């Protein structure tokens, strides 16, 4: 009967939810250990200037080498880090490592190199998070603040708290650049762009994937690029996988591109080959 079927389903979901909660709490425990045992690594993905084909920017993307599970995706563990408050600590680690790497690469290869660093709104809401200590850290490295791009998500632009506004202001004053990541996926109200200045808009890969000469996505990309330029911002297209996508975006005046068509995110030693090629 339907009733029995319903009960069967009910019994099916409860253990699976328990299992999920259990898996999550195990991951959270492992995440604490990961910080202590340095199981994180930053990969770097080239951000290519479309007009010249040159690479002097990269996005730092965190990787977790889990002792038994292997590589765990940030899409899986960042939300857990956010829920548990560990994100502030992880975010500090990411910032310091990326800044140190940018400084080393500037000294060795290219003084124009800049690094893009992903951040979570949760870390900026945390009162123990200290923007000034980040700025002091870069200063000690001799790294110009302009060489750092902080990637934020749209959720931070919607009614930003005083604290967030203050932190963004500190970044701006120091010369740190700001990029709006995954543009077009959230509420996507252009009004948010008035809440604070950003230097770059990153068009989300869902608009780039499958871009063809007559698609709606092409119209949307062109419109975003035009508006961004009129507002004095530059545009990065994410997730470019094909030559056609690259050509259409280039033609539309997109400033930078990132994606498997150019290169996948890679360990730092591999990334150095990009400098040697240039
Ligand atoms: P995101 O910031 O939008 O980063 C771009 C993601 O797209 C990366 O996934 C990258 O590997 C992937 N990608 C790049 N080009 C292509 C392409 O051509 N095709 C496809 N299919 N994918 C492409 P990844 O490294 O797995 O990171 C996922 C998300 O995790 C990031 O999205 C970001 O939101 C978050 N994340 C990564 N590292 C950090 C970090 O250090 N801190 C924080 N808070 N979040 C991070
Ligand atoms: Mg990003
Ligand atoms: Mg993105």
């Amino acid at each position: 009967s339907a009733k029995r079927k319903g009960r069967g389903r009910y019994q099916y979901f409860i253990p699976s939810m328990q299992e999920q909660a259990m898996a999550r709490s195990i991951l959270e425990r492992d995440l604490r250990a990961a910080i202590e045992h340095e199981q994180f690594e930053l990969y770097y993905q080239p951000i290519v200037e479309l007009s010249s084909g040159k690479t002097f920017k990269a996005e730092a993307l965190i990787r977790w080498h889990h002792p038994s599970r292997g590589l765990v995706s940030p899409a899986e563990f960042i939300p857990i880090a956010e829920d548990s408050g560990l994100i502030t600590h992880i975010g500090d680690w990411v910032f310091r490592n990326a800044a140190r790497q940018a400084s080393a690469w500037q000294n060795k290869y290219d003084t124009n190199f800049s690094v893009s660093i992903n951040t979570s709104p949760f870390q900026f809401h945390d009162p123990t998070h200290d923007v000034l200590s980040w700025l002091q850290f870069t200063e000690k490295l001799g790294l110009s603040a302009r060489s750092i791009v902080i990637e934020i998500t749209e959720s931070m632009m919607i009614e930003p708290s005083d604290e967030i506004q203050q932190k963004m202001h500190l970044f701006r004053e120091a010369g740190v650049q700001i990029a709006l990541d995954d543009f077009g996926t959230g509420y996507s109200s252009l009004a948010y762009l008035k809440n604070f200045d950003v230097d770059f808009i990153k068009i989300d890969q869902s608009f780039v994937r499958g871009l063809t000469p007559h698609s709606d996505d092409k119209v949307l990309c062109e419109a975003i690029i035009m508006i961004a330029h009129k507002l004095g911002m530059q545009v990065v297209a994410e997730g470019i996988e094909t030559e056609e996508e690259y050509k259409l975006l280039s033609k539309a005046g997109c400033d930078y591109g990132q994606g498997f068509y150019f290169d996948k995110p890679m360990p730092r030693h591999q990334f150095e080959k990009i400098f040697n090629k240039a």
Side-chain angles (χ1 to χ4, degrees):
S1 73
K3 207 173 170 190
R4 189 180 286 160
K5 232 194 209 157
R7 201 177 318 153
R9 241 185 254 139
Y10 178 76
Q11 283 176 337
Y12 173 77
F13 271 108
I14 294 299
S16 112
M17 276 165 63
Q18 274 176 344
E19 265 165 32
Q20 261 180 34
M22 184 102 91
R24 223 181 145 85
S25 75
I26 289 173
L27 262 192
E28 185 182 325
R29 182 203 65 195
D30 292 351
L31 212 45
R32 285 178 200 280
I35 294 169
E36 237 175 279
H37 298 113
E38 302 241 13
Q39 291 163 3
F40 296 120
E41 180 182 3
L42 290 181
Y43 274 28
Y44 294 88
Q45 185 177 33
I47 298 174
V48 180
E49 187 180 54
L50 295 182
S51 62
S52 66
K54 290 201 168 117
T55 299
F56 44 87
K57 295 179 188 297
E59 178 173 7
L61 295 155
I62 195 169
R63 297 292 178 260
W64 178 15
H65 300 281
H66 188 283
S68 61
R69 294 184 45 186
L71 214 59
V72 182
S73 157
E76 188 176 352
F77 73 82
I78 292 291
I80 297 173
E82 289 176 337
D83 282 354
S84 58
L86 292 168
I87 191 68
T88 308
H89 199 105
I90 294 172
D92 266 346
W93 183 89
V94 169
F95 183 88
R96 282 162 209 270
N97 270 268
R100 212 181 283 125
Q101 187 64 75
S103 164
W105 281 340
Q106 282 196 355
N107 293 333
K108 199 166 171 198
Y109 299 108
D110 180 0
T111 50
N112 277 323
F113 179 77
S114 70
V115 69
S116 255
I117 300 172
N118 288 287
T119 61
S120 154
F122 289 83
Q123 66 194 103
F124 293 126
H125 284 304
D126 184 339
T128 69
H129 172 261
D130 182 6
V131 169
L132 288 177
S133 80
W134 280 10
L135 297 174
Q136 281 160 5
F137 186 79
T138 43
E139 213 176 291
K140 265 194 215 141
L141 286 170
L143 184 71
S144 147
R146 276 205 78 72
S147 315
I148 291 182
V149 182
I150 292 290
E151 293 197 5
I152 62 169
T153 51
E154 203 172 62
S155 64
M156 259 178 61
M157 312 258 311
I158 308 166
E159 294 184 58
S161 64
D162 287 352
E163 194 163 11
I164 294 267
Q165 297 232 24
Q166 238 171 42
K167 286 180 175 177
M168 291 304 121
H169 186 69
L170 284 174
F171 280 135
R172 299 248 54 134
E173 246 183 348
V176 170
Q177 303 193 79
I178 297 174
L180 185 55
D181 204 355
D182 304 333
F183 185 76
T185 54
Y187 294 88
S188 298
S189 166
L190 293 169
Y192 301 139
L193 293 174
K194 291 194 300 189
N195 286 350
F196 37 82
D197 288 345
V198 304
D199 301 280
F200 300 96
I201 281 185
K202 299 190 77 172
I203 302 181
D204 189 69
Q205 42 190 57
S206 56
F207 295 95
V208 172
R209 189 74 32 76
L211 209 56
T212 56
H214 303 290
S215 57
D216 289 348
D217 281 340
K218 178 173 165 261
V219 177
L220 288 170
C221 284
E222 285 169 350
I224 294 170
I225 292 163
M226 194 185 76
I227 292 167
H229 285 169
K230 292 220 160 160
L231 293 172
M233 302 178 282
Q234 290 195 298
V235 182
V236 182
E238 301 193 84
I240 300 179
E241 292 188 351
T242 67
E243 182 167 14
E244 177 162 51
E245 290 159 7
Y246 155 66
K247 284 196 166 148
L248 287 171
L249 285 157
S250 189
K251 228 173 159 184
C254 187
D255 304 280
Y256 296 92
Q258 197 182 340
F260 298 169
Y261 173 69
F262 303 108
D263 270 304
K264 291 198 166 166
M266 56 188 114
R268 61 196 174 100
H269 290 299
Q270 208 176 319
F271 190 88
E272 298 199 348
K273 291 186 188 135
I274 303 239
F275 290 115
N276 289 324
K277 252 195 311 196

